[in-house]
Amino acid sequence: MIWPLLSTVVLIAPPDASGAAGRAGPAWEKGARCVLQAPLGVSEKPGPKSKKRRLKPGAELQIVGVNKGFVETTTADIAGFAKAGELTRACKRIEPGGPATLTSPVTEAPPPPPAELATPTPSTPQASPPPPAAATSPSETLPPETAATSPAPAPVPAAPPATTLNPPPPVAVPPESQAAPAPTKATVKTKVAVMAVRGSAGIPAELIESLTNLIPQTLDDLGPFKGISSSDIQQMLAMESMKQALGCDSNSATCLAEIGGAIGADYMITGSCLLVSANYLLQFQLMNIAESRVETRVTREYAGGAKGLLDEVRVVTKLLVRDLLAAKSGTLALAASEEGATIKIDGAIVGVSPLAAFSVPGGMHTLEVEKEGFVRFTRDVEIRTNQQLEVGVLLLPSAEFKKKYTATASFWRTLSYAGLGAGAVGLAAGAALFGMSRSQAKSLRADILAYNAPDHSRTADEEARLAERVKGVARLDALSMTSVVVGLVATAVAAGLFFGGDDPHRFEIIATPEAVTP
């Protein structure tokens, strides 16, 4: 059986590039991070002919995969491949403990002038530097670890009166120490408050509590949502005091909307789990807090154990926010190095490579690409609303598959070489026989002309010899034609085996991440 031809997207960097990179800095390993000090071009696939996009200085990159000569990188917006040597020259490594958030490509501002050149005039009162931008909501404040490491603004000492012609330029924060950017519209998550699930008699309180805690976890896993659990609500608002202060019934839509608005939520999920005979009846609803109305209702009946009930609540949660997810979807463009690989999103099969760009609900998802004989590719990807994420996937063969592939491909490649040799011999033999036939035919033609001359005395023996020579020339012509045909067929078969078969050296250019140096 002839193996089908598979396209190869892994290329080797020129020796000078990889060698220079190896002398310029340490090896890049998976998980390393760096900040661009100079512009860098990244391509959709590893290779010189792939379309490139240019990243500006200041972009923070994370290494997610490496192969000989190329490093697969990702930023907050772009994922692609860069030559290892170019990356080493353009990117400054971030040592462990540095900033953990990938930032979008930015342009570094010039360094500030010396402090003595920025003295205010006597007529202008000296004002202390403004504090960092205040957060407008709890969700926009910096993480505790970032706030803890950010230095507080030092007070500006009083300076003697002086006259300056130009005001001082603004102080630029270097990318390494720059605070996390404020969330943009594309990354702001929809807050969904989850009220405690009401359980009927006969259902353990621990099970009801587990169901309540499972809903915000499921929302967080979907990506575009931030689940606010019932315990969080109680801690933030002191629920009972809030209901009394509002003077409303906790079961009414108006009261729930007021409570949800007070905690800054966009939507609220309420529901109950009832035990009817031996079956569980799940009744849940999603409320739009801004409009004080119910968006979606889901009712499902389940007969089974507690584990299955947890899975059923996960399904109910996804059904409640299904329409919201559809409005926040983006597209994923996947370029896999192998054809026929199975592509999964969050464990569900979405297609087989090569696959055109497809729509994916917004938020974080787990991308898996697998094929028999290859190491499974897994990565967490973030899909942004109305945006396309391009991901290049390099599948690495297992040792056993690589050995079997190389042996089979070598056999067919050797057979193609043998066919090319046989074809060349056949064509050469056909050409030689044709030359002999033409030479004998020319001599025979001259003898026949002499035999037919009027003054030539003809004999029966001479006529028989001429007839035998005619047959000999005909045999040479037939052998020549047969040799040429056999040579052409052998050459055609050999060419098909060579160009249509697998390259036995295909996987020799793929190395393990530990063995790759920039």
Side-chain angles (χ1 to χ4, degrees), residues 192-208:
V192 181
V194 180
M195 306 298 289
V197 176
R198 300 186 300 275
S200 64
I203 303 179
E206 295 81 2
L207 179 57
I208 293 297

Side-chain angles (χ1 to χ4, degrees), residues 310-333:
L310 295 176
D311 294 335
E312 195 71 14
V313 170
R314 290 190 182 94
V315 174
V316 169
T317 304
K318 294 178 181 180
L319 291 176
L320 286 172
V321 297
R322 177 175 52 188
D323 294 339
L324 298 180
L325 277 176
K328 294 178 175 291
S329 63
T331 56
L332 177 62

Side-chain angles (χ1 to χ4, degrees), residues 11-28 67-71 82-89 509 515-518:
L11 302 177
I12 300 179
D16 56 342
S18 60
R23 296 189 298 271
W28 294 107
N67 61 291
K68 183 177 291 185
F70 284 89
V71 180
K83 288 186 176 180
E86 296 177 358
L87 180 66
T88 302
R89 290 189 291 270
I509 60 176
V516 175
T517 56

Side-chain angles (χ1 to χ4, degrees), residues 161-356:
T163 302
T164 58
L165 297 179
N166 297 315
V171 177
V173 182
E176 293 81 356
S177 60
Q178 190 171 6
T184 60
K185 183 177 180 181
T187 58
V188 171
K189 295 189 175 183
T190 301
K191 297 181 180 178
V192 181
V194 180
M195 306 298 289
V197 176
R198 300 186 300 275
S200 64
I203 303 179
E206 295 81 2
L207 179 57
I208 293 297
E209 183 179 359
S210 298
L211 298 180
T212 302
N213 295 333
L214 181 61
I215 297 175
Q217 294 177 9
T218 304
L219 291 172
D220 292 343
D221 293 340
L222 291 177
F225 303 103
K226 172 60 179 175
I228 305 175
S229 66
S230 177
S231 59
D232 294 337
I233 297 174
Q234 292 178 4
Q235 293 176 3
M236 289 190 298
L237 300 178
M239 182 66 67
E240 295 300 327
S241 300
M242 175 62 68
K243 288 189 292 184
Q244 294 175 5
L246 294 174
C248 60
D249 181 8
S250 61
N251 294 327
S252 67
T254 304
C255 177
L256 293 176
E258 292 178 2
I259 294 176
I263 62 177
D266 303 303
Y267 294 87
M268 179 177 289
I269 292 178
T270 62
S272 61
C273 179
L274 307 178
L275 184 59
V276 181
S277 297
N279 298 338
Y280 293 97
L281 181 63
L282 300 174
Q283 296 176 324
F284 285 82
Q285 63 182 13
L286 175 69
M287 177 181 297
N288 187 323
I289 293 177
E291 301 180 8
S292 300
R293 64 180 177 86
V294 176
E295 290 280 352
T296 310
R297 287 187 174 90
V298 176
T299 300
R300 291 173 71 93
E301 188 174 353
Y302 170 75
K307 185 180 184 302
L309 184 60
L310 295 176
D311 294 335
E312 195 71 14
V313 170
R314 290 190 182 94
V315 174
V316 169
T317 304
K318 294 178 181 180
L319 291 176
L320 286 172
V321 297
R322 177 175 52 188
D323 294 339
L324 298 180
L325 277 176
K328 294 178 175 291
S329 63
T331 56
L332 177 62
L334 193 65
S337 61
E338 299 293 328
E339 294 181 353
T342 302
I343 301 171
K344 297 181 179 179
I345 297 293
D346 298 330
I349 298 177
V350 296
V352 177
S353 64
L355 185 63

Side-chain angles (χ1 to χ4, degrees), residues 101-179:
T101 303
L102 293 180
T103 59
S104 301
V106 295
T107 304
E108 285 189 287
E116 61 272 19
L117 298 180
T119 306
T121 60
S123 60
T124 304
Q126 178 66 41
S128 60
T136 58
S137 66
S139 63
E140 296 178 355
T141 59
L142 292 175
E145 62 272 15
T146 305
T149 57
S150 301
V156 178
T163 302
T164 58
L165 297 179
N166 297 315
V171 177
V173 182
E176 293 81 356
S177 60
Q178 190 171 6

Side-chain angles (χ1 to χ4, degrees), residues 35 125 167 356 441 515:
V35 175

